[in-house]
Amino acid sequence: MTKHTSNLKAEKIVGGVHASPRHDSAHKHVTGTAVYIDDIVEPFGTLHAGLGLANVAHGTIRSMDLSAVRAAPGVVDVLTASDIPGVNEISPSGMNDDPVLADGKVEFHGQPIFCVIAETREQARRAARLAKIEYEELPAVIDIWDVDVETHRQVTTPLTLKRGDAAAALASAPRRVKGRMRLGGQDHFYLEGQVSLAIPGEDEDVLVYCSTQGPSETQHMVAHALGVPSHSVAIEVRRMGGGFGGKETQANQCAALAAIAAKKLKRAVKLRLDRDEDMLATGKRHDFAIDYDVGFDEEGRILGVDYTFALRAGFSADLSGPVGDRALFHCDNAYFFPHVHAKSAPLYTNTVSNTAFRGFGGPQGMVGAERVIDEVAFAVGKDPLEIRKLNFYDAMGVDGERNITPYHQKVEDCIIQRIVAELEESADYAGRRKAIAEFNAGSPVVKRGLALTPVKFGISFTKTESNQAGALVHVYTDGSVHMNHGGTEMGQGLHLKVAQVVAEEFQIDLDRVKITATTTAKVPNTSPTAASSGADLNGMAAQDAARQIKDRLIDFAAETHQIPRDQVVFLPNRVRVGNEEIAFNELVRQAYMNRIQLSAAGFYKTPKIHWDRAKGRGHAFYYYAYGAACSEVSVDTLTGEYVVERTDILHDTGRSLNRAIDIGQVEGGFIQGMGWLTTEELWWDDKGRLRTHAPSTYKIPLASDRPKIFNVALTNWSEAYEPTIHRSKAVGEPPLPLGLAVLHALSDAVASVADHRICPRLDAPATPERVLMAVERLKAQVAK
Amino acid sequence: MAAAIRHELRFILNDRDVVLTSVAPDQTLLDWLRLSQNLRGTKEGCAEGDCGACTVLVGKRVGGELVYEGVNACIRFTGSLDCCHVVTVEHLAPNEGRLHPVQQAMVDFHGSQCGFCTPGFVMSLYGLWMRSPDPSDFEIEKALQGNLCRCTGYEAIIRSARAISSYGRVSEDPLASERASILARLARMDDGSRVEVGEGGGRLIVPADVDDLAAVLEAEPKATVVAGSTDVGLWVTKMMRNISPAVFIGGVRELRSMSEENGVVTIGAGVTYSEAFDYLSRRIPALGALVARIGGEQVRNMGTIGGNIANGSPIGDTPPPLIALGSRLTLRKGAAQRTIPLEEFFIAYGKQDRQPGEFVEAVHVPVPGEGIHYAVHKISKRREEDITATLGAFHLELAADGTVKEIRIAYGGMAATPKRASAVEAALTGKPWTEATIEAAIPAYEQDFTPLTDMRATAEYRMLAAKNLLRRFHLETSGAKVPARVSRYTVAA
């Protein structure tokens, strides 16, 4: 865009809120001109780093001979723990358990021990393989399935939620079922792997271009590792090639190493992990072992639940504490539990430290909720959907008692009934349930299954201080606007949504608002772009900044025209000042001439929320987002192979800021959730080596894995119960657990081999193998 | 007759001729584009040919035509590009501010989110659009099997793909309108010489023809033979192995031929999966369904059946079906050729019946006659673009009385080599083709196979699924009217 002419007669601006402008970078994505960290033209003399990874799961380093590494062609330096000038520690929880480079002891296979710096990346990678390291191997705990949850070492303080008396409710319940579910983890598989480019500056300064969701935290970690004040470190990121939580804390290691090398060698240093290294050395979604004990009546109404959510934390705390917390926060999904006791157990294992992943434990909690629903449904012989509906929280506006969560927050905005009712109708659940029964009766090998599962997802960081955001808005004298905020772009369209908010505030066309790279130098102390909060927090902060400037412009216009403030009205690309209309650009120019400040820093903090972790009580979430999915599958009971025949989704994003973007989030979230629960399997061998560490072995969904028929709609009637940004709702994480519909449809198909009399207890990921083995198990039980 | 030797590699990159007198044998096209040419629209997502972020088109001359195919630049060696046309996303630069139809469709239908995979999708869709301007959903999905997207859930990309032709015509695309002149430029580059570049531990050789290849390998018996590089590429990008001297055979004309005589299809060792299956699926329809289960489109455009055989993997997808068909293999060393039953080529894990300096020249595949039941069933964790957990191929001839006259059953993923289920075959032969016979033969699997547990499947699952594939084969050949498998496509591939 070189020249801009504003339409001064427009009735509506182009690209305001509730419109659906395309992703701001779409034209750059398709032409290959969108710049990711590895695409930045390197400064002269840039060096490249490669990692040396541990090849035992647990042990002490007896000796380390790096002479061949140092002597390899192109090698400039090799960094070990002793080269770290500050603190060898990047634990986001401050637990001092996350070294940048292993120092003396190794706690998982793939842990970085040293970092080679060479003239080329290939030289660094080749050299890294020449190390001779001897270990004193120690016993390793690889998975959590067989450990004693009560006594096994935990990496951080667990959480317990309780309301009422679960033990008594269970003891007196007419019906009771206990069980355990194994739920696998998930690799983020962002297409752009971890990468940082560090450029040394004068004094202690360093600028790091880093693919990070949390620039401020990366800044603090780099400063910590360098032993310099945070003011010496700047982190910048224009966009990531995907994040999904995998670049919330996991970006820090590459950033710190690149920065340390750059400062030491006084040359720019880039560290970009190979895909295999990325998957071996960085954390993933937590696997969970979910123990449940549910009491219910003959109708299928849940009376009491006891849960233990044991999670594979890996070797350090990282975010495992809050991930376990969020699992508990969602162990109810959309259901009211009159009596509940739930605890988390973040277990130490000699595997990579697990971390944030879209949903942050929430989806795992919901899997536990939905398994319990299935158990109850099979026990009382009813369609699981009936049991779901029977146990929902009271609908918004109902003055009932079934509205208190296990963490004592009142659910005030529940719209799941209407969503499920509309979806049941549009997907013809009842008609297809009947058709499927008929099909299955005549089809001994291929069985169909159907499930409709709800989602209720709590929106806010449970770490209260994270619920704040800043923005910086400049209006230049030509009326063009520079927008910056603390959120990061990873494909979710955050920058576009915030730009829409700013355009709406000033009533100027969207292309007048320049989106700029996130940098710690413009907006400080920001929260990671996580917890679905990006648009809620940063949209509000940017709106605040824009309003400050707008207020000054109104004051200025009112004063110079001697009219009341309410007679200054922002119209599309112009401002009505009394009886006169004046172009926005012209008003801005006049304001500048009169020395009006045209720049503002905006700020926002989410109201109402509080959380007392020790007591397990609080108003943890500002509001909830809702949705539901209905999936139908076909399963081959000879091989366990399956096809998703159809999925219908109805999802709530309140008064959507951008429906096109939100539809993309819902479609993508569902497929990612489906992948987690079906074909994405992380597999460690008996030596603790992750053997699914590349797309050849780790299978995320393909285009041909999406449902044959895929109907996705957003509610057109809901709006946020609280005054969120333009009454929209968050959309990043809530759609992911819509994928549960596929797991439960598979379970339903499997159940058909035993005439729906036995709960299949299908574990996840439900690979064809697990599906077949569940079929075999049910057939064997029937035969008994 | 020794071929003339040229010490430079020649090809066209987008719109300009490239002459390289120095290029390492393990130089990948992706690194060359990004690091040497600063063309950074092409991305690295995995460096192993599985994600497609690095997709570029390579135009190669096939029978006087210029054919463009999507390939994975991350595992394609620059040395394999002699006399080819490399087209990257930068070649689709906006024309007077207007985006290319593929790009505009992707923008309008919200086909990108984070955008990192997008150039690869654009190139795959571009390749598809040129050969099929109004593709079916099956064609679109098949063309995108080698492209991973983690953000969109693909739906928006499929919507874009369906709409491309409403934005422009293929005939107006530069690669169509300039095809003749590009072809002529490539023809001028091709002087019929052997190409040799580099020295010492970094040499690459592109033989002039098959006789020259034989001569090269006799002289260099330890050379790495590279056909499609879908396997050797990973030796470099993941294992950091030295492949010098590398002998690139993908362009050897004689190895790229296919012919049929007396019901036997002869496939040259340099014929890609895409080319071979294009023909084979018409002659042997059961193989047509298999091709959509092998790799992604880019891998099928690069990988060869010869390579799939020669590398001896126990999980290669073509040896079991070819063994079940009774295929034979021709090997050549110098001027000497020998032809053996394909199954005898596989001796043990990592060990094949191939002498130093010897190479796979062709495989001969008998087309099943009338009345033969032939089927191939692959099981993998993810349906498409995944490596086999177990794959069974069945070739059945029934006698007039309904008994089994002859059956050949071969499996992949069940042993250290692709292997016949001899005990099962024996248990079936001469018996009536009934469920009772099948069930009586099932225990024989335990004699034939002792599969492994690994990240793809447990031994238990492999064994059970393998047995059940025989049950499926029986169901589908005994007139049972019930569906015995699930299918993604209502119109079966």
Side-chain angles (χ1 to χ4, degrees), chain A residues 22 36 39 276 638-639 680 700-701 704 706 769, chain B residues 34 43 108 114 141 154 238 382 384 458 461 468 488:
Chain A
R22 298 171 301 208
Y36 302 82
D39 302 334
D276 296 50
L638 282 176
T639 61
E680 295 184 35
I700 72 167
S704 50
R706 72 196 207 295
E769 168 159 355
Chain B
R34 289 184 59 86
K43 310 298 181 192
D108 287 353
C114 86
E141 289 177 11
Y154 302 99
K238 299 299 176 181
R382 185 177 66 196
E384 280 98 19
T458 62
Y461 176 71
N468 283 352
R488 161 80 188 168

PDB file of all heavy atoms in Angstrom, chain A residues 22 36 39 276 638-639 680 700-701 704 706 769, chain B residues 34 43 108 114 141 154 238 382 384 458 461 468 488:
ATOM      1  N   ARG A  22      -9.504 -10.762   6.143  1.00  0.00           N
ATOM      2  CA  ARG A  22      -8.587 -11.893   6.043  1.00  0.00           C
ATOM      3  C   ARG A  22      -7.351 -11.651   6.894  1.00  0.00           C
ATOM      4  O   ARG A  22      -7.038 -10.517   7.243  1.00  0.00           O
ATOM      5  CB  ARG A  22      -8.179 -12.081   4.568  1.00  0.00           C
ATOM      6  CG  ARG A  22      -9.380 -12.388   3.719  1.00  0.00           C
ATOM      7  CD  ARG A  22      -9.047 -12.355   2.255  1.00  0.00           C
ATOM      8  NE  ARG A  22      -8.533 -11.066   1.840  1.00  0.00           N
ATOM      9  CZ  ARG A  22      -8.658 -10.586   0.617  1.00  0.00           C
ATOM     10  NH1 ARG A  22      -9.255 -11.286  -0.320  1.00  0.00           N
ATOM     11  NH2 ARG A  22      -8.154  -9.424   0.310  1.00  0.00           N
ATOM     12  N   TYR A  36       9.907 -15.302   8.882  1.00  0.00           N
ATOM     13  CA  TYR A  36      10.040 -16.022  10.152  1.00  0.00           C
ATOM     14  C   TYR A  36      11.493 -15.854  10.610  1.00  0.00           C
ATOM     15  O   TYR A  36      12.340 -15.384   9.840  1.00  0.00           O
ATOM     16  CB  TYR A  36       9.665 -17.499   9.972  1.00  0.00           C
ATOM     17  CG  TYR A  36       8.251 -17.648   9.450  1.00  0.00           C
ATOM     18  CD1 TYR A  36       7.976 -17.518   8.090  1.00  0.00           C
ATOM     19  CD2 TYR A  36       7.189 -17.838  10.320  1.00  0.00           C
ATOM     20  CE1 TYR A  36       6.676 -17.586   7.609  1.00  0.00           C
ATOM     21  CE2 TYR A  36       5.884 -17.912   9.859  1.00  0.00           C
ATOM     22  CZ  TYR A  36       5.632 -17.785   8.503  1.00  0.00           C
ATOM     23  OH  TYR A  36       4.345 -17.843   8.034  1.00  0.00           O
ATOM     24  N   ASP A  39      14.257 -16.731   8.421  1.00  0.00           N
ATOM     25  CA  ASP A  39      14.278 -16.046   7.122  1.00  0.00           C
ATOM     26  C   ASP A  39      14.923 -14.667   7.210  1.00  0.00           C
ATOM     27  O   ASP A  39      15.183 -14.030   6.186  1.00  0.00           O
ATOM     28  CB  ASP A  39      12.849 -15.872   6.598  1.00  0.00           C
ATOM     29  CG  ASP A  39      12.119 -17.193   6.457  1.00  0.00           C
ATOM     30  OD1 ASP A  39      12.796 -18.230   6.282  1.00  0.00           O
ATOM     31  OD2 ASP A  39      10.881 -17.192   6.522  1.00  0.00           O
ATOM     32  N   ASP A 276      13.992 -33.402  14.638  1.00  0.00           N
ATOM     33  CA  ASP A 276      14.177 -34.514  15.580  1.00  0.00           C
ATOM     34  C   ASP A 276      14.666 -34.002  16.930  1.00  0.00           C
ATOM     35  O   ASP A 276      14.194 -34.425  17.987  1.00  0.00           O
ATOM     36  CB  ASP A 276      15.184 -35.531  15.022  1.00  0.00           C
ATOM     37  CG  ASP A 276      14.685 -36.191  13.756  1.00  0.00           C
ATOM     38  OD1 ASP A 276      14.254 -35.457  12.843  1.00  0.00           O
ATOM     39  OD2 ASP A 276      14.706 -37.432  13.673  1.00  0.00           O
ATOM     40  N   LEU A 638     -11.891 -55.794  12.135  1.00  0.00           N
ATOM     41  CA  LEU A 638     -10.825 -56.769  11.883  1.00  0.00           C
ATOM     42  C   LEU A 638      -9.443 -56.155  12.069  1.00  0.00           C
ATOM     43  O   LEU A 638      -8.473 -56.850  12.356  1.00  0.00           O
ATOM     44  CB  LEU A 638     -10.928 -57.323  10.453  1.00  0.00           C
ATOM     45  CG  LEU A 638     -12.007 -58.390  10.197  1.00  0.00           C
ATOM     46  CD1 LEU A 638     -12.032 -58.766   8.722  1.00  0.00           C
ATOM     47  CD2 LEU A 638     -11.765 -59.629  11.052  1.00  0.00           C
ATOM     48  N   THR A 639      -9.327 -54.862  11.836  1.00  0.00           N
ATOM     49  CA  THR A 639      -8.012 -54.219  11.880  1.00  0.00           C
ATOM     50  C   THR A 639      -7.955 -53.029  12.831  1.00  0.00           C
ATOM     51  O   THR A 639      -6.859 -52.554  13.144  1.00  0.00           O
ATOM     52  CB  THR A 639      -7.620 -53.691  10.486  1.00  0.00           C
ATOM     53  OG1 THR A 639      -8.603 -52.724  10.090  1.00  0.00           O
ATOM     54  CG2 THR A 639      -7.569 -54.817   9.465  1.00  0.00           C
ATOM     55  N   GLU A 680      -1.932 -39.585  17.096  1.00  0.00           N
ATOM     56  CA  GLU A 680      -0.688 -38.989  17.586  1.00  0.00           C
ATOM     57  C   GLU A 680      -0.227 -39.737  18.829  1.00  0.00           C
ATOM     58  O   GLU A 680      -0.755 -39.546  19.913  1.00  0.00           O
ATOM     59  CB  GLU A 680      -0.891 -37.504  17.892  1.00  0.00           C
ATOM     60  CG  GLU A 680      -1.193 -36.699  16.641  1.00  0.00           C
ATOM     61  CD  GLU A 680      -1.304 -35.218  16.911  1.00  0.00           C
ATOM     62  OE1 GLU A 680      -0.573 -34.711  17.772  1.00  0.00           O
ATOM     63  OE2 GLU A 680      -2.132 -34.564  16.260  1.00  0.00           O
ATOM     64  N   ILE A 700       0.498 -36.642  12.869  1.00  0.00           N
ATOM     65  CA  ILE A 700      -0.574 -35.655  13.042  1.00  0.00           C
ATOM     66  C   ILE A 700      -1.570 -35.818  11.888  1.00  0.00           C
ATOM     67  O   ILE A 700      -1.245 -36.410  10.859  1.00  0.00           O
ATOM     68  CB  ILE A 700      -0.027 -34.215  13.114  1.00  0.00           C
ATOM     69  CG1 ILE A 700       0.467 -33.726  11.753  1.00  0.00           C
ATOM     70  CG2 ILE A 700       1.089 -34.110  14.153  1.00  0.00           C
ATOM     71  CD1 ILE A 700       0.733 -32.222  11.695  1.00  0.00           C
ATOM     72  N   PRO A 701      -2.785 -35.315  12.039  1.00  0.00           N
ATOM     73  CA  PRO A 701      -3.774 -35.530  10.974  1.00  0.00           C
ATOM     74  C   PRO A 701      -3.369 -34.916   9.639  1.00  0.00           C
ATOM     75  O   PRO A 701      -2.710 -33.872   9.589  1.00  0.00           O
ATOM     76  CB  PRO A 701      -5.031 -34.830  11.521  1.00  0.00           C
ATOM     77  CG  PRO A 701      -4.860 -34.825  13.000  1.00  0.00           C
ATOM     78  CD  PRO A 701      -3.375 -34.657  13.222  1.00  0.00           C
ATOM     79  N   SER A 704      -6.715 -35.703   4.539  1.00  0.00           N
ATOM     80  CA  SER A 704      -7.625 -36.829   4.323  1.00  0.00           C
ATOM     81  C   SER A 704      -8.066 -37.485   5.630  1.00  0.00           C
ATOM     82  O   SER A 704      -8.778 -38.481   5.608  1.00  0.00           O
ATOM     83  CB  SER A 704      -6.958 -37.861   3.418  1.00  0.00           C
ATOM     84  OG  SER A 704      -5.669 -38.164   3.894  1.00  0.00           O
ATOM     85  N   ARG A 706      -9.508 -35.465   7.996  1.00  0.00           N
ATOM     86  CA  ARG A 706     -10.620 -34.665   8.527  1.00  0.00           C
ATOM     87  C   ARG A 706     -11.935 -35.350   8.151  1.00  0.00           C
ATOM     88  O   ARG A 706     -11.964 -36.175   7.247  1.00  0.00           O
ATOM     89  CB  ARG A 706     -10.539 -33.227   8.000  1.00  0.00           C
ATOM     90  CG  ARG A 706     -10.871 -33.086   6.571  1.00  0.00           C
ATOM     91  CD  ARG A 706     -10.438 -31.781   5.971  1.00  0.00           C
ATOM     92  NE  ARG A 706     -11.322 -31.462   4.856  1.00  0.00           N
ATOM     93  CZ  ARG A 706     -11.393 -32.178   3.745  1.00  0.00           C
ATOM     94  NH1 ARG A 706     -10.649 -33.261   3.570  1.00  0.00           N
ATOM     95  NH2 ARG A 706     -12.239 -31.832   2.792  1.00  0.00           N
ATOM     96  N   GLU A 769      -4.609 -49.775  16.520  1.00  0.00           N
ATOM     97  CA  GLU A 769      -4.254 -50.875  17.420  1.00  0.00           C
ATOM     98  C   GLU A 769      -5.103 -50.865  18.687  1.00  0.00           C
ATOM     99  O   GLU A 769      -5.646 -51.900  19.094  1.00  0.00           O
ATOM    100  CB  GLU A 769      -2.761 -50.796  17.781  1.00  0.00           C
ATOM    101  CG  GLU A 769      -2.416 -51.723  18.928  1.00  0.00           C
ATOM    102  CD  GLU A 769      -0.951 -52.081  19.032  1.00  0.00           C
ATOM    103  OE1 GLU A 769      -0.169 -51.680  18.149  1.00  0.00           O
ATOM    104  OE2 GLU A 769      -0.588 -52.786  19.982  1.00  0.00           O
TER     105      GLU A 769
ATOM    106  N   ARG B  34      17.937 -21.739   0.093  1.00  0.00           N
ATOM    107  CA  ARG B  34      17.832 -20.798   1.208  1.00  0.00           C
ATOM    108  C   ARG B  34      19.164 -20.116   1.518  1.00  0.00           C
ATOM    109  O   ARG B  34      19.201 -18.912   1.795  1.00  0.00           O
ATOM    110  CB  ARG B  34      17.316 -21.508   2.472  1.00  0.00           C
ATOM    111  CG  ARG B  34      15.844 -21.910   2.391  1.00  0.00           C
ATOM    112  CD  ARG B  34      15.357 -22.523   3.703  1.00  0.00           C
ATOM    113  NE  ARG B  34      15.514 -21.606   4.816  1.00  0.00           N
ATOM    114  CZ  ARG B  34      14.625 -20.675   5.163  1.00  0.00           C
ATOM    115  NH1 ARG B  34      13.504 -20.553   4.484  1.00  0.00           N
ATOM    116  NH2 ARG B  34      14.855 -19.869   6.180  1.00  0.00           N
ATOM    117  N   LYS B  43      10.377 -23.420   2.956  1.00  0.00           N
ATOM    118  CA  LYS B  43      10.678 -23.578   4.381  1.00  0.00           C
ATOM    119  C   LYS B  43      11.153 -24.993   4.709  1.00  0.00           C
ATOM    120  O   LYS B  43      10.772 -25.949   4.042  1.00  0.00           O
ATOM    121  CB  LYS B  43       9.419 -23.302   5.219  1.00  0.00           C
ATOM    122  CG  LYS B  43       8.690 -22.013   4.887  1.00  0.00           C
ATOM    123  CD  LYS B  43       9.516 -20.782   5.122  1.00  0.00           C
ATOM    124  CE  LYS B  43       8.735 -19.515   4.807  1.00  0.00           C
ATOM    125  NZ  LYS B  43       9.594 -18.332   4.757  1.00  0.00           N
ATOM    126  N   ASP B 108      -8.277 -15.757  -0.116  1.00  0.00           N
ATOM    127  CA  ASP B 108      -9.715 -15.473   0.013  1.00  0.00           C
ATOM    128  C   ASP B 108     -10.449 -16.496   0.867  1.00  0.00           C
ATOM    129  O   ASP B 108     -11.446 -16.173   1.498  1.00  0.00           O
ATOM    130  CB  ASP B 108     -10.360 -15.419  -1.379  1.00  0.00           C
ATOM    131  CG  ASP B 108      -9.970 -14.150  -2.122  1.00  0.00           C
ATOM    132  OD1 ASP B 108      -9.322 -13.278  -1.512  1.00  0.00           O
ATOM    133  OD2 ASP B 108     -10.304 -14.036  -3.324  1.00  0.00           O
ATOM    134  N   CYS B 114      -0.782 -19.739  10.515  1.00  0.00           N
ATOM    135  CA  CYS B 114       0.582 -19.286  10.850  1.00  0.00           C
ATOM    136  C   CYS B 114       1.382 -19.030   9.584  1.00  0.00           C
ATOM    137  O   CYS B 114       2.325 -18.260   9.588  1.00  0.00           O
ATOM    138  CB  CYS B 114       1.294 -20.278  11.766  1.00  0.00           C
ATOM    139  SG  CYS B 114       2.149 -21.633  10.944  1.00  0.00           S
ATOM    140  N   GLU B 141      -7.062 -34.211  -1.954  1.00  0.00           N
ATOM    141  CA  GLU B 141      -6.508 -34.817  -0.737  1.00  0.00           C
ATOM    142  C   GLU B 141      -5.278 -35.652  -1.050  1.00  0.00           C
ATOM    143  O   GLU B 141      -4.305 -35.650  -0.290  1.00  0.00           O
ATOM    144  CB  GLU B 141      -7.586 -35.661  -0.046  1.00  0.00           C
ATOM    145  CG  GLU B 141      -8.660 -34.797   0.582  1.00  0.00           C
ATOM    146  CD  GLU B 141      -9.773 -35.600   1.219  1.00  0.00           C
ATOM    147  OE1 GLU B 141      -9.623 -36.828   1.357  1.00  0.00           O
ATOM    148  OE2 GLU B 141     -10.793 -34.995   1.591  1.00  0.00           O
ATOM    149  N   TYR B 154      -7.167 -28.035   7.735  1.00  0.00           N
ATOM    150  CA  TYR B 154      -7.208 -28.294   6.289  1.00  0.00           C
ATOM    151  C   TYR B 154      -8.473 -27.844   5.570  1.00  0.00           C
ATOM    152  O   TYR B 154      -8.470 -27.684   4.347  1.00  0.00           O
ATOM    153  CB  TYR B 154      -7.000 -29.792   5.965  1.00  0.00           C
ATOM    154  CG  TYR B 154      -5.712 -30.358   6.490  1.00  0.00           C
ATOM    155  CD1 TYR B 154      -5.666 -31.087   7.670  1.00  0.00           C
ATOM    156  CD2 TYR B 154      -4.510 -30.148   5.811  1.00  0.00           C
ATOM    157  CE1 TYR B 154      -4.483 -31.615   8.156  1.00  0.00           C
ATOM    158  CE2 TYR B 154      -3.319 -30.675   6.295  1.00  0.00           C
ATOM    159  CZ  TYR B 154      -3.312 -31.413   7.467  1.00  0.00           C
ATOM    160  OH  TYR B 154      -2.132 -31.939   7.944  1.00  0.00           O
ATOM    161  N   LYS B 238      19.630 -36.580   8.495  1.00  0.00           N
ATOM    162  CA  LYS B 238      19.427 -37.067   9.860  1.00  0.00           C
ATOM    163  C   LYS B 238      20.628 -37.833  10.400  1.00  0.00           C
ATOM    164  O   LYS B 238      20.928 -37.764  11.574  1.00  0.00           O
ATOM    165  CB  LYS B 238      18.183 -37.966   9.924  1.00  0.00           C
ATOM    166  CG  LYS B 238      16.904 -37.257   9.526  1.00  0.00           C
ATOM    167  CD  LYS B 238      16.588 -36.072  10.430  1.00  0.00           C
ATOM    168  CE  LYS B 238      15.362 -35.313   9.958  1.00  0.00           C
ATOM    169  NZ  LYS B 238      15.045 -34.147  10.801  1.00  0.00           N
ATOM    170  N   ARG B 382      -1.581 -44.033  10.916  1.00  0.00           N
ATOM    171  CA  ARG B 382      -2.371 -43.045  10.183  1.00  0.00           C
ATOM    172  C   ARG B 382      -2.606 -43.626   8.801  1.00  0.00           C
ATOM    173  O   ARG B 382      -1.727 -44.247   8.234  1.00  0.00           O
ATOM    174  CB  ARG B 382      -1.606 -41.720  10.089  1.00  0.00           C
ATOM    175  CG  ARG B 382      -2.412 -40.607   9.445  1.00  0.00           C
ATOM    176  CD  ARG B 382      -1.649 -39.283   9.439  1.00  0.00           C
ATOM    177  NE  ARG B 382      -0.478 -39.347   8.579  1.00  0.00           N
ATOM    178  CZ  ARG B 382       0.520 -38.462   8.614  1.00  0.00           C
ATOM    179  NH1 ARG B 382       0.494 -37.473   9.471  1.00  0.00           N
ATOM    180  NH2 ARG B 382       1.549 -38.596   7.803  1.00  0.00           N
ATOM    181  N   GLU B 384      -2.942 -42.455   5.676  1.00  0.00           N
ATOM    182  CA  GLU B 384      -2.080 -42.091   4.557  1.00  0.00           C
ATOM    183  C   GLU B 384      -0.752 -41.504   5.042  1.00  0.00           C
ATOM    184  O   GLU B 384      -0.651 -41.022   6.160  1.00  0.00           O
ATOM    185  CB  GLU B 384      -2.776 -41.072   3.636  1.00  0.00           C
ATOM    186  CG  GLU B 384      -3.761 -41.697   2.678  1.00  0.00           C
ATOM    187  CD  GLU B 384      -5.200 -41.613   3.168  1.00  0.00           C
ATOM    188  OE1 GLU B 384      -5.477 -40.783   4.047  1.00  0.00           O
ATOM    189  OE2 GLU B 384      -6.036 -42.401   2.692  1.00  0.00           O
ATOM    190  N   THR B 458       2.581 -53.042  18.281  1.00  0.00           N
ATOM    191  CA  THR B 458       3.114 -54.139  19.088  1.00  0.00           C
ATOM    192  C   THR B 458       3.138 -55.407  18.236  1.00  0.00           C
ATOM    193  O   THR B 458       2.442 -55.513  17.220  1.00  0.00           O
ATOM    194  CB  THR B 458       2.225 -54.418  20.313  1.00  0.00           C
ATOM    195  OG1 THR B 458       0.933 -54.823  19.847  1.00  0.00           O
ATOM    196  CG2 THR B 458       2.086 -53.197  21.203  1.00  0.00           C
ATOM    197  N   TYR B 461      -0.351 -56.866  18.027  1.00  0.00           N
ATOM    198  CA  TYR B 461      -1.244 -56.256  17.033  1.00  0.00           C
ATOM    199  C   TYR B 461      -0.844 -56.655  15.623  1.00  0.00           C
ATOM    200  O   TYR B 461      -1.680 -56.982  14.789  1.00  0.00           O
ATOM    201  CB  TYR B 461      -1.219 -54.734  17.172  1.00  0.00           C
ATOM    202  CG  TYR B 461      -2.046 -54.025  16.103  1.00  0.00           C
ATOM    203  CD1 TYR B 461      -3.434 -54.078  16.126  1.00  0.00           C
ATOM    204  CD2 TYR B 461      -1.430 -53.315  15.066  1.00  0.00           C
ATOM    205  CE1 TYR B 461      -4.196 -53.436  15.156  1.00  0.00           C
ATOM    206  CE2 TYR B 461      -2.189 -52.671  14.091  1.00  0.00           C
ATOM    207  CZ  TYR B 461      -3.568 -52.731  14.144  1.00  0.00           C
ATOM    208  OH  TYR B 461      -4.322 -52.107  13.181  1.00  0.00           O
ATOM    209  N   ASN B 468      -5.993 -61.146  10.417  1.00  0.00           N
ATOM    210  CA  ASN B 468      -7.304 -60.632  10.024  1.00  0.00           C
ATOM    211  C   ASN B 468      -7.319 -60.131   8.581  1.00  0.00           C
ATOM    212  O   ASN B 468      -8.384 -60.057   7.969  1.00  0.00           O
ATOM    213  CB  ASN B 468      -7.745 -59.526  10.987  1.00  0.00           C
ATOM    214  CG  ASN B 468      -8.239 -60.106  12.298  1.00  0.00           C
ATOM    215  OD1 ASN B 468      -8.396 -61.319  12.435  1.00  0.00           O
ATOM    216  ND2 ASN B 468      -8.486 -59.236  13.276  1.00  0.00           N
ATOM    217  N   ARG B 488     -12.239 -44.092   3.020  1.00  0.00           N
ATOM    218  CA  ARG B 488     -12.362 -42.644   3.123  1.00  0.00           C
ATOM    219  C   ARG B 488     -13.223 -42.106   1.982  1.00  0.00           C
ATOM    220  O   ARG B 488     -13.925 -41.120   2.131  1.00  0.00           O
ATOM    221  CB  ARG B 488     -10.950 -42.047   3.067  1.00  0.00           C
ATOM    222  CG  ARG B 488     -10.860 -40.585   2.717  1.00  0.00           C
ATOM    223  CD  ARG B 488     -11.167 -39.700   3.914  1.00  0.00           C
ATOM    224  NE  ARG B 488     -11.250 -38.304   3.492  1.00  0.00           N
ATOM    225  CZ  ARG B 488     -11.723 -37.335   4.235  1.00  0.00           C
ATOM    226  NH1 ARG B 488     -12.144 -37.607   5.440  1.00  0.00           N
ATOM    227  NH2 ARG B 488     -11.776 -36.111   3.798  1.00  0.00           N
TER     228      ARG B 488
END
